[in-house]
Amino acid sequence: MAWSHRNLLDVDVLTREDLETLLDQAMHMEDLMDRPVKKVPALRGKLVVNIFFEASTRTRVSFELAEKFLGADVVNWASSGSSVSKGETLRDTVWTLEAMGADAVVVRHSMPGVPWYLRDKLRRASVFNAGDGAHAHPTQALLDVYTAWRHLGSLEGKRIAIVGDILHSRVTRSDIIAFRTMGASLVCSGPRSLMPKDMGALGVEYEPDARRAVVGADAIYLLRIQMERQMAGLFPSEDEYHRLWGANEELVRRARPGALVMHPGPINRGVEIESRVADGPQSVILPQVKSGVATRMALLYLCMGGGEA
Amino acid sequence: MNWKEKARVMESPDMARALKRMAHEIVERNKGLEGIVLVGIQRRGVPLASRLGALLEGFEGMRPAQGELDITLYRDDLSLRYSQPLVRRTDIPGGVTHRRVVLVDDVLYTGRTVRSALDALMDLGRPAGVQLAVLVDRGHRELPIHADYVGKNLPTSSSEVVEVRLQEVDGVDEVWICEKVEKVEEGPERPLMRFAREGE
């Protein structure tokens, strides 16, 4: 295998072999996280800048831990209270960061395509997409695939049911690509008003009834329901959503025995998932968090090594 | 860069005899096997550690503890290489603290791998002591490191490489000296590929 990527903008550039390499490396990184000394000097002397233009706790902290465990120097560039709020353009901001010596930029932005724009503007730093609008969230897809793979083994022929707001979900978009690359099939469920127009183009099935969608599923992936979608009139009420698409024990029983329950977090208890399911024996929501650090370590390690050409 | 086989310097019986002697030396120097843990450096140090363990069991009637150590994340040349070496498993059951670690590797050359291994070990705990066993010492040290147990001292030139092949990994027990030959045929410059941007 030869890892040939310096950036990760979306998972569509990763082949199955790339993903398998990354999963294998993430497994070793996870072992490292269980040691008394979690820090290794693999990225010693490298500077990583995290720029988050959108609120994020777990993704930002997860990236930051991954960077620190690999020994990199880390700068967190907050968009509020910085030069950005004084009217500096994004381009000038990243050029400034690169002039300070950044070797990598981790970016989250509400505008789709920003990571691609940065990749084109930066001369040498790697770019990692930590979520751009409703477009892509590649590292979430990596951690989801890793978590499922650790618990289910090979994903070839496995079935994943994703339930929730597919339309606004960058997580789903990247997850669909990554799970399909690994040979899994997917079915989406949720209110039709929260579905993209052409589900077939994504290569997934649509089953409006969640109880039918999860039949035969090896994993049920619940998406966070954002309250502002209800305000926008896309579904009538949280109660109704919960009744029709919320994950309760009965829904989980309809999937395969031992099916995984996954969620990207933060969870809305009592809306898309009941506490008894979120905290139940089939839930891997907390292992997903740990997987997030391990897969980001593997990604940073693979992309950021090497000297100048 | 291509490598051409130049001379076979060890065969299976030579290797077996060398390992037997090294095992005896380990027992002699440590006055037994109490508190000893054999730690093979990935990749060929791991099967060598197993062989030493089996020999020691034969001599002393007890099998010393054994583990494996990957030093990839501790290398000092990560920022110089074109592509990242892949990380392998590290697993030392029972840890290293208060134990005497015998590090096992196939070839001792510049000493940089051993330097990395020492760093990796110290992050895993506080060993009571660390000793080094290598099948081949080929000289050309760049760091003040020496081996406690050596299978064979092999004077080499720095344009040569020493290749240890083991049954468990390569299907055969042999040590070769190989020589650099300039590559003639045209080929794509692979190292440059990793700097091509995705989607272009």
Side-chain angles (χ1 to χ4, degrees):
Chain A
M1 93 90 223
W3 183 265
S4 59
H5 306 282
R6 283 192 67 222
N7 310 298
L8 187 65
L9 305 176
D10 199 1
V11 284
D12 57 352
V13 297
L14 301 180
T15 63
R16 183 150 173 181
E17 198 192 359
D18 287 336
L19 284 173
E20 283 167 353
T21 299
L22 200 133
L23 297 179
D24 169 74
Q25 295 295 286
M27 200 170 62
H28 297 301
M29 298 298 180
E30 194 175 358
D31 284 348
L32 205 150
M33 290 171 69
D34 293 328
R35 295 191 203 158
V37 178
K38 298 172 177 64
K39 208 178 175 76
V40 293
L43 295 184
R44 199 162 58 98
K46 303 263 186 190
L47 173 61
V48 185
V49 181
N50 302 314
I51 321 180
F52 281 69
F53 292 93
E54 227 185 38
S56 162
T57 306
R58 73 194 58 216
T59 303
R60 190 180 55 75
V61 170
S62 179
F63 260 111
E64 189 172 342
L65 283 175
E67 293 150 9
K68 288 180 169 170
F69 288 167
L70 289 171
D73 289 313
V74 179
V75 170
N76 290 311
W77 192 274
S79 56
S80 61
S82 75
S83 48
V84 174
S85 56
K86 296 179 189 167
E88 185 176 63
T89 66
L90 188 56
R91 188 179 60 183
D92 287 327
T93 302
V94 295
W95 280 351
T96 305
L97 297 172
E98 200 170 48
M100 289 173 180
D103 296 291
V105 175
V106 175
V107 61
R108 166 170 292 188
H109 203 288
S110 57
M111 180 102 59
V114 162
W116 281 259
Y117 176 77
L118 296 195
R119 192 264 323 259
D120 290 339
K121 291 301 162 201
L122 286 164
R123 291 171 189 90
R124 43 170 285 275
S126 295
V127 177
F128 298 101
N129 182 0
D132 62 322
H135 179 212
H137 195 349
T139 58
Q140 179 73 43
L142 297 180
L143 79 89
D144 289 336
V145 165
Y146 176 79
T147 309
W149 173 75
R150 279 313 294 264
H151 288 87
L152 300 173
S154 165
L155 297 178
E156 183 69 51
K158 294 291 194 301
R159 190 168 170 83
I160 317 289
I162 304 183
V163 182
D165 177 0
I166 309 293
L167 182 62
H168 300 95
S169 173
R170 56 189 170 209
V171 172
T172 305
R173 221 194 125 276
S174 290
D175 267 17
I176 287 171
I177 298 169
F179 275 110
R180 289 188 67 211
T181 305
M182 293 301 289
S185 66
L186 293 102
V187 56
C188 291
S189 185
R192 199 174 286 276
S193 53
L194 295 176
M195 293 295 131
K197 277 204 190 78
D198 187 3
M199 298 291 285
L202 292 171
V204 298
E205 301 160 40
Y206 173 53
E207 168 53 62
D209 184 348
R211 287 179 196 85
R212 284 165 61 175
V214 301
V215 172
D218 299 282
I220 306 174
Y221 197 106
L222 291 323
L223 294 170
R224 175 179 170 79
I225 285 299
Q226 280 162 339
M227 305 309 167
E228 60 264 31
R229 309 292 178 221
Q230 190 239 319
M231 303 293 186
L234 291 170
F235 61 94
S237 75
E238 282 172 34
D239 281 352
E240 192 199 86
Y241 183 90
H242 182 66
R243 219 166 41 245
L244 294 173
W245 291 285
N248 52 29
E249 286 174 313
E250 194 238 319
L251 186 79
V252 173
R253 267 198 301 275
R254 287 172 175 269
R256 276 181 188 277
L260 307 178
V261 173
M262 305 176 70
H263 192 297
I267 60 178
N268 290 318
R269 290 174 185 268
V271 185
E272 70 269 4
I273 189 165
E274 271 185 3
S275 281
R276 274 204 281 198
V277 172
D279 308 329
Q282 287 166 250
S283 167
V284 291
I285 297 173
L286 289 175
Q288 278 177 279
V289 176
K290 190 178 182 194
S291 300
V293 180
T295 47
R296 289 180 177 110
M297 287 174 77
L299 177 71
L300 292 167
Y301 170 70
L302 288 169
C303 292
M304 288 186 66
E308 301 294 316
Chain B
M1 192 107 59
N2 278 350
W3 299 95
K4 195 183 76 186
E5 289 174 350
K6 192 173 161 190
R8 186 164 58 190
V9 289
M10 276 181 118
E11 290 180 61
S12 185
D14 309 315
M15 210 180 271
R17 279 190 286 270
L19 287 169
K20 227 177 263 177
R21 176 176 49 75
M22 289 164 72
H24 280 301
E25 287 171 3
I26 291 171
V27 182
E28 185 185 12
R29 168 136 173 208
N30 293 288
K31 301 182 170 61
L33 294 175
E34 210 40 55
I36 292 283
V37 54
L38 299 171
V39 174
I41 297 178
Q42 293 276 16
R43 178 169 189 208
R44 287 176 181 72
V46 175
L48 286 174
S50 297
R51 292 194 201 182
L52 285 172
L55 289 167
L56 289 166
E57 187 176 16
F59 303 152
E60 292 293 293
M62 70 170 274
R63 180 133 191 172
Q66 197 185 316
E68 56 199 66
L69 183 71
D70 182 82
I71 56 114
T72 309
L73 296 168
Y74 291 85
R75 295 173 69 114
D76 62 2
D77 60 352
L78 285 177
S79 61
L80 303 173
R81 297 170 57 99
Y82 286 116
S83 74
Q84 294 288 68
L86 293 186
V87 179
R88 294 174 185 275
R89 205 157 76 106
T90 291
D91 183 24
I92 305 178
V96 298
T97 302
H98 303 316
R99 293 164 113 180
R100 270 177 293 174
V101 173
V102 179
L103 273 176
V104 183
D105 205 1
D106 55 350
V107 180
L108 177 59
Y109 179 33
T110 61
R112 289 176 190 270
T113 299
V114 175
R115 200 279 314 164
S116 305
L118 290 172
D119 279 358
L121 274 183
M122 299 308 158
D123 278 358
L124 292 172
R126 188 175 188 278
V130 181
Q131 301 165 11
L132 176 63
V134 295
L135 185 63
V136 175
D137 181 349
R138 60 166 293 197
H140 301 281
R141 214 78 76 241
E142 293 168 4
L143 297 171
I145 280 168
H146 82 104
D148 302 275
Y149 315 104
V150 178
K152 187 179 181 66
N153 279 297
L154 200 59
T156 55
S157 96
S158 49
S159 66
E160 296 167 330
V161 290
V162 172
E163 201 176 286
V164 171
R165 297 174 190 164
L166 298 176
Q167 193 71 46
E168 297 88 330
V169 182
D170 313 285
V172 63
D173 279 346
E174 284 173 350
V175 178
W176 282 85
I177 295 183
C178 300
E179 197 177 27
K180 216 180 271 185
V181 289
E182 290 311 316
K183 201 174 174 181
V184 217
E185 62 268 38
E186 290 284 311
E189 283 288 318
R190 202 173 68 77
L192 294 176
M193 275 174 59
R194 65 179 267 101
F195 291 96
R197 288 186 153 164
E198 294 110 331
E200 284 173 17

